[in-house]
Amino acid sequence: MLLKHYYIEKIAHGSYILAGTKSCAVIDPSRDVDLYLEEARKLGVEITHILETHLHADFVSGHVELAHRTGADIFMPQAGNCAFDHVPVSEGDVLEVDAIRLEVMETPGHSPESACYVVRDTSRGEGPLGVFTGDTLFVGDVGRPDLFPNRAEELADKLYHSLHEKLLTLPDHCEVYPAHGAGSLCGRTLSAKRRSTIGYERRYNQPLQIEDKGDFIQSLTSDMPPAPDHFSRCNEINRAGPALLSELPKLEALDPSQFKERMQDPGVIVVDVRNYDAFGSQHIRGAWHVALSGNFPTFAGWVLPPDREILLIAEGNEGAKQANLWARRVGLDRITGYLEGGMLAWAVAGQPTASVRQLSAGDLHEMVQGEALSSFVLVDARSALEYENMHIEGAVNIPAPDLRTRFQELKPDTPTVLICSSGHRASLGASILKQHGFQEVYNVAGGMTGYNAAGYSPKCSVCANPHVSHAFTDVLETTG
Amino acid sequence: MLLKHYYIEKIAHGSYILAGTKSCAVIDPSRDVDLYLEEARKLGVEITHILETHLHADFVSGHVELAHRTGADIFMPQAGNCAFDHVPVSEGDVLEVDAIRLEVMETPGHSPESACYVVRDTSRGEGPLGVFTGDTLFVGDVGRPDLFPNRAEELADKLYHSLHEKLLTLPDHCEVYPAHGAGSLCGRTLSAKRRSTIGYERRYNQPLQIEDKGDFIQSLTSDMPPAPDHFSRCNEINRAGPALLSELPKLEALDPSQFKERMQDPGVIVVDVRNYDAFGSQHIRGAWHVALSGNFPTFAGWVLPPDREILLIAEGNEGAKQANLWARRVGLDRITGYLEGGMLAWAVAGQPTASVRQLSAGDLHEMVQGEALSSFVLVDARSALEYENMHIEGAVNIPAPDLRTRFQELKPDTPTVLICSSGHRASLGASILKQHGFQEVYNVAGGMTGYNAAGYSPKCSVCANPHVSHAFTDVLETTG
Amino acid sequence: MLLKHYYIEKIAHGSYILAGTKSCAVIDPSRDVDLYLEEARKLGVEITHILETHLHADFVSGHVELAHRTGADIFMPQAGNCAFDHVPVSEGDVLEVDAIRLEVMETPGHSPESACYVVRDTSRGEGPLGVFTGDTLFVGDVGRPDLFPNRAEELADKLYHSLHEKLLTLPDHCEVYPAHGAGSLCGRTLSAKRRSTIGYERRYNQPLQIEDKGDFIQSLTSDMPPAPDHFSRCNEINRAGPALLSELPKLEALDPSQFKERMQDPGVIVVDVRNYDAFGSQHIRGAWHVALSGNFPTFAGWVLPPDREILLIAEGNEGAKQANLWARRVGLDRITGYLEGGMLAWAVAGQPTASVRQLSAGDLHEMVQGEALSSFVLVDARSALEYENMHIEGAVNIPAPDLRTRFQELKPDTPTVLICSSGHRASLGASILKQHGFQEVYNVAGGMTGYNAAGYSPKCSVCANPHVSHAFTDVLETTG
Amino acid sequence: MLLKHYYIEKIAHGSYILAGTKSCAVIDPSRDVDLYLEEARKLGVEITHILETHLHADFVSGHVELAHRTGADIFMPQAGNCAFDHVPVSEGDVLEVDAIRLEVMETPGHSPESACYVVRDTSRGEGPLGVFTGDTLFVGDVGRPDLFPNRAEELADKLYHSLHEKLLTLPDHCEVYPAHGAGSLCGRTLSAKRRSTIGYERRYNQPLQIEDKGDFIQSLTSDMPPAPDHFSRCNEINRAGPALLSELPKLEALDPSQFKERMQDPGVIVVDVRNYDAFGSQHIRGAWHVALSGNFPTFAGWVLPPDREILLIAEGNEGAKQANLWARRVGLDRITGYLEGGMLAWAVAGQPTASVRQLSAGDLHEMVQGEALSSFVLVDARSALEYENMHIEGAVNIPAPDLRTRFQELKPDTPTVLICSSGHRASLGASILKQHGFQEVYNVAGGMTGYNAAGYSPKCSVCANPHVSHAFTDVLETTG
């Protein structure tokens, strides 16, 4: 038996190939399935089983794509009520991949249909060797049960039982193979380490230490990070069966005049994926800014209207292709073109542009030191949690995605400074404010991290460790 | 805490990066250290610790190279008596990598100085999370204690204690990170799966099931696979500190006349790394054949005289570079050139060649069916174990590397057919026989695997699963 | 005005981009048109004109593919009577590409419809600057007029007039841009230099020195190299309009059992594209051998039956892809699969194989020295011209492609040795003889070149300069 | 005989391989010589001759590097008085490369030592076939004789004689192989076409149409484009023999704190090579801006102080490597490091930044329309010629490089808007003004091209053809 683990940064998604001597299963595949096909070819095994632990909320799964490309069966928890061709599985069902036995363990909680697959390698012994836990049990955390808001308590209750009466009955030595790692919004405090064991998590996993069910439910249904908008959308796409990649629109190179014509269409939006400094310097009026070098898939999935056709502004066509790949992973399937030559070509064509001025840490410090604070608004575009941990006095907290509606709490004619952790989210926020007619908008380059590094505020204990994700929030910008 | 696992096929070597928030340790690095440097750069951490579990016998370690490139300290068990700059460690010593604690556990057995490093992630809890077991405990096997033949029993005794009194005292949930996987000759029956847990191995690891120490020693000191010649050599190289890669000779492209001149030097050998069919068709007289597509590093390390300068025959210069890389991994540091244009250039230059005819499964079957068997010798060049499992009646067993001396048991003027598992080892054997003046030498293309597949002999239970390595022997040819 | 020249080795095909400030023309495009699209994109110009000088005989042109991908018009001599959408052009027609003027000059001879395009850059001056001569005038040669055997004299007559009354009326300084270079079979002695001038060719081009028309016709219709079979085929394909690449079958990876099943179909042939040594060592019975490292497109186009589906044996899948690309360039559109894992996989599957033994120069010398010559036949598989220049006494001349029918002049039960220039063509011949039941077939590795290099025969004046092509024949093997 | 032409964009430099059957010459090689080594290897010929037509002023030649790597001799006009090992050549000297004869023709004018090499292919005929004209004769132009200002008339006189009494005595059909193409500052109006013939240039080359020597001298010594500062420097480097690449400093990745420390050294300058929009948004105070996507080598060579160590700001380390390669081509050998992570890392480290605001065509139009013109200065940073062709009323012409001294004509406390052709040069100018304490500096993104495209001013006849270079000036920004 051979286990291969694939990990996609930014969406922090783990998928697996579990291979016997002739066949293999792929568990929770990514939508771009080439890597599984290539690996199976290298290993000399056939992909015969595609296993889904549940209907993923945060990304579009590759189950249908992979089935189409290989002819393998999709195994999906019965409770998922899926529309595509599949083999529904339920408690106790056993799948066999050569000498490997996979037994279905229903573990509702993160979602109603969530299940785990317990692995036995009969060539070595009868006992369980590992378990694919999907989003039920993570390293250092459990799957959040609040993604269906009006069922949050019910699901938290179920999760408690799934964990304590199902997963924790497995022996200590049983390995844990989750579907996510640090930075995922499917939990709150996932560890950077990507795999674990039942015994280790039994002892050190925080939510598992909460003995009282009421406390557990209370903890898991309060103070959760916000769920991006695409979470429910991806869920439905995965249930219905995502479109095949070969059926999606091709990405066209457009010259400035073609681009300009296409963007007149009210069904079209422009998304600029360059770094915040380039965006700030000159961009197309009305464009969304979601930086490719930030957590592009999460924020693109979160804020961009899914029913619109998208035209891209990127650095080079390689950047446009990358953005398209990431967008498809979160169900944005309607990217149809990009501006060839980028903003330099746009300028040379004499087209109008807009700008967002960047402030350095020092620039901001001067502003907040002076009496100036009364003359401008400082918006902290990070999450509520990050804001609470530490923030600049006088700053108003509106998380970047919320600015889509909460811009109304601000005044378009007051100078507005946005700050986040390093600059990407604030710049997204800036692009939103500009769409709503804000005249004078500033982005703090380097964000709170730069502000702290410059010595303008005490480091909080959390921020002292910028590398490994201590909380979901930082990771939104820095992962990957 | 983040753990990254690197695995090099053919030598089946596992190395690790264990990263905290700012620093990381590299455990049992490969000699080509670029991948660690790049990963550390991507993670944004500094390589501060280089840990060796023991003096590796089967490959040249990258400890000195990596220390030279990074300035990090090398930590090495004190009992290794190493010559290079290092920090000697012994039982109970604790190393700290940010919030990670690594505790030294001396586990002599596979080698006198073998040690393990028990990992604790203090940011999560005090209990042990995993252990770097080097060659002491593998997935499905333990490290062989017989590499120092006259100390085999003593070391097997120590290994028993190291396993039962040290490693198995760790909790079931503790993960096991070994230095080798399936195909390694540092054990006998390593699993394809690359990591495990103490609890799973406690239950299902075969040698660990042997309760009686006497039985354990008996089992671990008999019927072991042969140890390649380079095992003691690499051991010494690692103790002394391997040469830096930047100091090794460059690989030169040589045209036929340059090549011919250089190969006249009695200190030079020619090594042909093409597939056995190309080698068989035409090769330079006297050349060694070690196919790059087989387990090149193991057999090159095993049979090639280490004190000679090596010239290569390969398909393309990319092949020559690959061979050079692999050779350096097993301590063959004196490859200085390759024949540009390969054997086609050699032929066009009108130079003499030799050949080894290939037989198909059917050809061989006809020969052994007829009365012919008396007119030729069939040499089975696989290991004793493989031979015992199943062989063609009348075949003589001389493992390929042994033909270097045991060619004397054969007659140079009798037609000699060599067979192995798939064709590579037999072809190596053929090249050795040709060096000793054998006139008529044949290689069975496809080997016993093809012979069985053609239906000429019953499949043994072992061979029914060609993919995943059930025994060390097959793997010599097929891994990687 | 900017001129870019593209040159494809082996078929020795030259094509051109002629760019103005906004638009460009592509002249005699290759079938794989991506390079033109990319270049136009880089130059920032639109491909608006696709010009064909004539219906190419030796390769499938990219005119239809490029028109399909760009929407540009195809300009084709009216006399071509082409079936696809195009703008027919005739004597005196003028095309404008920005400030560039291209004037049609009808120059029948190489083919009835051949034309040239005279270029003027009106931004610099009114005089002709260069001329796209197609296959009418080459560097050092003229286009052969004998490809329509029963019209050879008529066309040679026309060619004489086209050259002397049309092309040579252009001024000396006018540059010459031909469609072929050294190694092309569309002429006899093309120079390695790829472009020239009217003045230089007027003075030094051999056929142009023949003043008497009768002598010219006589010279151009005798002693011409044979025309490969695909020449008339490609001609017809180009007239009808080649299939779009997107409509051709995909290349599938087949395992040995799939491969075996598919090759049972009588409509399928197996083509082995590896080097002759690997082919000689073990190949699938009945396979054609056309080495990718030789002049694959010319010989594949020449000898392979065009109406059959083709399965490939290659080194690696990259080799299979390369072979497919080349095959499509000569109109072999029905390659559908290749053997994954190559012949090693075949052997491991226990399948039967055949072989052709390779002889070194020395081996052959011994044979022809001894009385042996009576006991075997030596076939010189080069062209008649090469044979006449120099050959081994006693050798019979049958050019490799002719062995498809002339095998009947040889005896299947007599040992047969084949020799060519370096080994590729003789091995092709060997594969043909094996298809017809010849028992004992040998290939001389290194061919006459190796034989000469070994000192076994005097160097002829022609062969002393192996690099630059002095005659069409050598080039068949060595170009590219 | 085979001729290969290599062309390096931006510096518009043409070099050549002229190959016989066994040997080849390289004419006017680039400093990065790998491409010649690789081509020679592919062709199977040895590089035996390295020919220099003269001491290049605009780039560092690869003569010494190539001689060091191959052992070939360097042939250099005697009058160059060069310091390195070479074979001095003078009028009438003949070099032989297999059957190729190269005859030296002394042609002083562009520089005192300039020479041409007339090529004959004796295998085809005795007449001249082509001529390597270096910077004496270009396609559409002749080499400027004014680079040694106090000898301009003398050299123009010599050039007249070299052209009319030497080069133009060659026959019309003789091909012309110059060392430069469109965009080179070694002439004034070079054509985009890269090669020509004596006859065509005799008829249509403008300077060659000036019959009267006095007029010729007058024309060639007035209204010439400015000569960048590195022209005399490269000349001297080439005479002395450039440093070997292996001896130059390595390019180090520096984190923000290392970078900051190193840039404190007064011997160090910071050069930002990103696009002008990113530079404008945030850059390190005092940095030079020379965009890699513009004509980086020319402007870097021109304006950067050659005696200073250089640290780079680029997009990605690939950008830094590219900049280093280009810089070495113009003799800037002291680039030692770059900021890893670029300006985003700088911002996150809380370091101070500066900015230059970008104006769109529309923004500028509004400003110049309003009464505003009195409140700011508009500097046209293009060359005098471009300015004269067409400019915005009220704009002051100071070419970007001249701002190094002429900044003194402007007032640091007056808002200053810079405009050039597309934005790169103006941004270079902006970076210079910022170094001198200018408070409010603007760059017009898209420059005059965008301004025209937006319809704010009539297109001049010159600018209507943006693609092919009509004048040296535009090309400075758009070539390559």
Side-chain angles (χ1 to χ4, degrees), chain A residues 316-470:
Chain A
N317 51 6
E318 204 42 53
K321 277 181 204 162
Q322 278 292 317
N324 196 25
L325 172 66
W326 280 114
R328 290 171 168 191
R329 284 176 172 155
V330 291
L332 295 168
D333 284 0
R334 299 189 54 208
I335 298 185
T336 59
Y338 67 96
L339 178 60
E340 182 155 33
M343 286 306 293
L344 266 52
W346 189 255
V348 161
Q351 298 302 326
T353 56
S355 65
V356 170
R357 215 184 121 197
Q358 308 301 309
L359 302 177
S360 70
D363 296 338
L364 176 63
H365 186 60
E366 258 178 56
M367 287 169 78
V368 299
Q369 290 292 89
E371 67 268 63
L373 199 46
S374 58
S375 68
F376 69 94
V377 173
L378 176 59
V379 176
D380 190 320
R382 297 176 301 156
S383 70
L385 234 83
E386 290 168 288
Y387 178 81
E388 278 159 32
N389 275 339
M390 167 204 57
H391 61 261
I392 294 169
E393 226 185 295
V396 181
N397 180 226
I398 310 181
D402 295 0
L403 281 165
R404 289 175 298 165
T405 51
R406 294 183 58 195
F407 71 90
Q408 295 175 322
E409 301 170 17
L410 304 169
K411 293 184 191 140
D413 47 5
T414 305
T416 309
V417 177
L418 293 109
I419 191 165
C420 63
S421 173
S422 70
H424 295 311
R425 279 178 289 172
S427 188
L428 161 58
S431 75
I432 294 169
L433 293 188
K434 297 282 284 185
Q435 290 167 8
H436 292 289
F438 282 67
Q439 299 300 320
E440 212 176 320
V441 180
Y442 299 85
N443 179 43
V444 182
M448 289 302 294
T449 314
Y451 197 73
N452 288 333
Y456 296 126
S457 71
K459 285 191 187 179
C460 77
S461 64
V462 177
C463 285
N465 286 346
H467 170 58
V468 169
S469 51
H470 45 82

Side-chain angles (χ1 to χ4, degrees), chain C residues 188-202:
Chain C
R188 189 158 38 182
T189 55
L190 286 74
S191 296
K193 189 157 178 288
R194 292 178 184 167
R195 290 155 54 175
S196 186
T197 61
I198 287 291
Y200 195 82
E201 296 307 313
R202 189 196 307 282

Side-chain angles (χ1 to χ4, degrees), chain A residues 86-417:
Chain A
H86 71 287
V87 181
V89 294
S90 53
E91 185 73 19
D93 283 357
V94 171
L95 317 177
E96 306 211 337
V97 178
D98 300 337
I100 303 165
R101 285 177 52 206
L102 289 141
E103 190 175 339
V104 178
M105 179 185 271
E106 292 185 341
T107 52
H110 169 66
S111 67
E113 79 289 351
S114 278
C116 297
Y117 296 90
V118 179
V119 183
R120 285 173 173 82
D121 179 356
T122 63
S123 73
R124 291 202 66 196
E126 285 304 304
L129 171 154
V131 56
F132 293 100
T133 57
D135 288 11
T136 299
L137 177 61
F138 295 128
V139 182
D141 203 354
V142 301
R144 62 194 288 184
D146 67 325
L147 292 180
F148 301 82
N150 46 5
R151 298 180 61 185
E153 295 208 2
E154 168 207 341
L155 286 168
D157 184 307
K158 286 191 169 160
L159 180 61
Y160 183 85
H161 290 286
S162 292
L163 291 166
H164 289 278
E165 290 161 24
K166 294 276 185 78
L167 275 174
L168 291 188
T169 64
L170 290 169
D172 272 4
H173 68 253
C174 183
E175 295 181 76
V176 170
Y177 313 129
H180 282 297
S184 169
L185 286 176
C186 292
R188 187 159 38 180
T189 55
L190 285 74
S191 295
K193 189 158 178 288
R194 293 178 184 167
R195 291 155 54 175
S196 187
T197 61
I198 288 290
Y200 195 84
E201 296 308 314
R202 188 195 309 282
R203 280 162 187 75
Y204 303 113
N205 184 302
Q206 264 229 300
L208 293 189
Q209 307 313 307
I210 309 175
E211 286 183 25
D212 181 77
K213 188 166 81 174
D215 292 352
F216 179 89
I217 293 171
Q218 165 67 17
S219 164
L220 267 292
T221 53
S222 49
D223 292 329
M224 292 304 283
D229 289 20
H230 62 302
F231 273 28
S232 52
R233 189 167 76 240
C234 287
N235 197 293
E236 279 317 307
I237 291 172
N238 286 326
R239 186 189 316 277
L244 296 176
L245 295 178
S246 57
E247 293 166 358
L248 298 186
K250 294 251 178 302
L251 186 67
E252 265 182 277
L254 304 170
D255 67 29
S257 70
Q258 294 170 314
F259 194 94
K260 192 176 181 185
E261 198 186 317
R262 291 266 284 271
M263 68 180 243
Q264 310 299 344
D265 182 333
V268 168
I269 57 170
V270 173
V271 178
D272 195 319
V273 307
R274 299 174 299 152
N275 285 339
Y276 60 75
D277 50 5
F279 174 81
S281 194
Q282 57 171 356
H283 59 262
I284 293 177
R285 277 180 218 284
W288 293 84
H289 181 232
V290 190
L292 188 53
S293 64
N295 194 328
F296 177 79
T298 298
F299 286 101
W302 197 334
V303 304
L304 300 178
D307 54 336
R308 303 283 276 282
E309 183 183 329
I310 294 173
L311 298 181
L312 294 174
I313 306 292
E315 299 286 0
N317 51 6
E318 204 42 53
K321 277 181 204 162
Q322 278 292 317
N324 196 25
L325 172 66
W326 280 114
R328 290 171 168 191
R329 284 176 172 155
V330 291
L332 295 168
D333 284 0
R334 299 189 54 208
I335 298 185
T336 59
Y338 67 96
L339 178 60
E340 182 155 33
M343 286 306 293
L344 266 52
W346 189 255
V348 161
Q351 298 302 326
T353 56
S355 65
V356 170
R357 215 184 121 197
Q358 308 301 309
L359 302 177
S360 70
D363 296 338
L364 176 63
H365 186 60
E366 258 178 56
M367 287 169 78
V368 299
Q369 290 292 89
E371 67 268 63
L373 199 46
S374 58
S375 68
F376 69 94
V377 173
L378 176 59
V379 176
D380 190 320
R382 297 176 301 156
S383 70
L385 234 83
E386 290 168 288
Y387 178 81
E388 278 159 32
N389 275 339
M390 167 204 57
H391 61 261
I392 294 169
E393 226 185 295
V396 181
N397 180 226
I398 310 181
D402 295 0
L403 281 165
R404 289 175 298 165
T405 51
R406 294 183 58 195
F407 71 90
Q408 295 175 322
E409 301 170 17
L410 304 169
K411 293 184 191 140
D413 47 5
T414 305
T416 309
V417 177

Side-chain angles (χ1 to χ4, degrees), chain C residues 13 51-53 77 103 122 125 150 162-163 169 231 268 320 369 410:
Chain C
H13 165 220
L51 274 57
E52 292 276 282
T53 54
E103 189 176 340
T122 63
N150 45 6
S162 292
L163 291 167
T169 65
F231 273 29
V268 167
Q369 290 291 92
L410 303 169

Side-chain angles (χ1 to χ4, degrees), chain D residues 258-469:
Chain D
Q258 294 170 314
F259 194 94
K260 193 177 179 183
E261 197 187 318
R262 291 266 285 269
M263 69 180 243
Q264 309 301 343
D265 182 334
V268 168
I269 57 171
V270 173
V271 178
D272 194 320
V273 306
R274 299 174 299 152
N275 285 339
Y276 61 74
D277 49 5
F279 174 82
S281 194
Q282 56 170 356
H283 59 261
I284 293 178
R285 275 181 221 284
W288 292 84
H289 180 231
V290 190
L292 188 53
S293 65
N295 194 328
F296 177 79
T298 298
F299 286 102
W302 196 335
V303 303
L304 299 177
D307 54 337
R308 304 284 275 281
E309 184 182 329
I310 294 173
L311 298 181
L312 295 173
I313 305 293
E315 298 287 359
N317 50 6
E318 204 42 54
K321 277 182 205 161
Q322 278 292 317
N324 196 27
L325 172 66
W326 280 114
R328 289 172 168 191
R329 284 175 172 156
V330 290
L332 296 168
D333 284 2
R334 299 189 54 206
I335 298 184
T336 59
Y338 67 97
L339 179 59
E340 183 155 33
M343 286 307 292
L344 267 52
W346 188 257
V348 161
Q351 298 302 326
T353 56
S355 64
V356 170
R357 215 182 122 197
Q358 307 302 308
L359 303 177
S360 71
D363 295 338
L364 176 64
H365 186 63
E366 258 179 55
M367 286 170 79
V368 299
Q369 290 290 91
E371 68 269 61
L373 198 45
S374 58
S375 68
F376 69 94
V377 174
L378 176 59
V379 176
D380 189 320
R382 297 175 302 157
S383 70
L385 234 84
E386 289 169 287
Y387 178 81
E388 278 158 31
N389 276 338
M390 166 205 58
H391 61 260
I392 294 169
E393 225 184 295
V396 180
N397 180 224
I398 310 180
D402 297 358
L403 280 165
R404 287 176 299 165
T405 51
R406 294 183 57 194
F407 71 89
Q408 294 175 322
E409 301 170 20
L410 304 169
K411 291 185 193 141
D413 47 5
T414 304
T416 309
V417 176
L418 293 110
I419 192 165
C420 63
S421 175
S422 72
H424 295 310
R425 279 179 289 173
S427 188
L428 162 57
S431 75
I432 293 170
L433 292 188
K434 297 283 283 188
Q435 288 168 8
H436 293 288
F438 282 66
Q439 299 300 318
E440 213 175 320
V441 180
Y442 300 84
N443 178 44
V444 182
M448 289 303 296
T449 314
Y451 197 73
N452 288 333
Y456 296 127
S457 71
K459 283 193 186 177
C460 78
S461 64
V462 177
C463 285
N465 286 347
H467 170 59
V468 168
S469 51

